Amino acid sequence: NLSLTSDYLVDGLSQTQNEPALQGGVDWFGESGLYAGIWASRVDFSSESDSALESDWYVGYQFPVSESVALDFTYFKYIYLNDGLGRSDDDIDFQEFVLGMTVLENTSLKYYYSDDYIGIGEASSHFKLTHNQAIDEQLTLELEYGRALYKDAIGENYNHYRVGLSYSFDAFSVTLNYQ
């Protein structure tokens, strides 16, 4: 997958100083429910720094518990190259564990936990509820609510909302988000 975004946002927080980002990844999904992938994006955490690269590696397993409910476990490793803040490259690398539940293939609730968020030695967690509703074969309404529990990691807990419309063409899609 390949994307160009006007601003790389994570839970409503810009990862690029409100600037565009080129992003791409490769995903693999097995018939057993096992999946893995790698994804990368340009990041910029300081207006006085050079751009850096974020690389996300993940492996997970999704399995059905009924006809309409599936559980999902994912492990992420976030790796940053040239964080631009004068720290060595591995200072802000961290891992994250995700437990998710999907209902009717279009609604999910996920819990994210990191034992050392962005390498500062503090744990963090957040919840995210998403719902995607197909309007027709090409247009989808995307709704998201998140509650970030980052008080020890970044100094505050906060709520995050996102409303999006995604339009799919043959080989690509365009998404417009309000966060």
Side-chain angles (χ1 to χ4, degrees):
N1 57 68
L2 185 64
S3 65
L4 177 63
T5 181
S6 62
D7 188 5
Y8 170 26
L9 296 171
V10 174
D11 298 331
L13 302 175
S14 178
Q15 307 297 293
T16 56
Q17 300 289 314
N18 302 311
E19 295 291 328
L22 181 62
Q23 305 169 329
V26 176
D27 305 297
W28 171 82
F29 299 93
E31 291 182 22
S32 69
L34 186 65
Y35 59 90
I38 182 173
W39 180 87
S41 177
R42 180 186 86 80
V43 293
D44 188 350
F45 298 120
S46 169
S47 60
E48 295 141 18
S49 70
D50 295 328
S51 294
L53 178 69
E54 172 186 333
S55 176
D56 304 349
W57 298 72
Y58 61 91
V59 61
Y61 182 68
Q62 184 180 53
F63 60 95
V65 293
S66 73
E67 282 188 30
S68 59
V69 177
L71 293 181
D72 192 344
F73 301 96
T74 312
Y75 170 79
F76 282 92
K77 178 66 177 181
Y78 300 94
I79 300 169
Y80 296 87
L81 304 173
N82 183 21
D83 72 6
L85 299 174
R87 300 181 290 185
S88 66
D89 292 342
D90 61 352
D91 281 351
I92 63 173
D93 296 351
F94 69 100
Q95 63 185 359
E96 190 169 53
F97 303 90
V98 183
L99 171 62
M101 179 176 67
T102 301
V103 179
L104 300 173
E105 296 184 8
N106 64 345
T107 302
S108 68
L109 176 62
K110 293 186 177 183
Y111 172 72
Y112 300 75
Y113 174 80
S114 175
D115 59 348
D116 185 16
Y117 183 67
I118 59 174
I120 61 172
E122 299 289 343
S124 72
S125 61
H126 64 279
F127 297 89
K128 195 175 288 184
L129 176 65
T130 60
H131 177 76
N132 296 325
Q133 183 62 51
I135 296 171
D136 62 27
E137 288 184 12
Q138 294 176 299
L139 188 62
T140 302
L141 174 65
E142 302 171 353
L143 304 172
E144 180 177 282
Y145 165 75
R147 175 72 176 155
L149 305 173
Y150 294 159
K151 185 163 180 55
D152 292 334
I154 64 171
E156 64 181 277
N157 296 330
Y158 65 93
N159 296 316
H160 167 258
Y161 307 89
R162 183 179 66 83
V163 176
L165 279 175
S166 181
Y167 190 85
S168 297
F169 297 91
D170 290 335
F172 66 95
S173 65
V174 174
T175 303
L176 178 63
N177 286 316
Y178 177 79
Q179 300 192 54

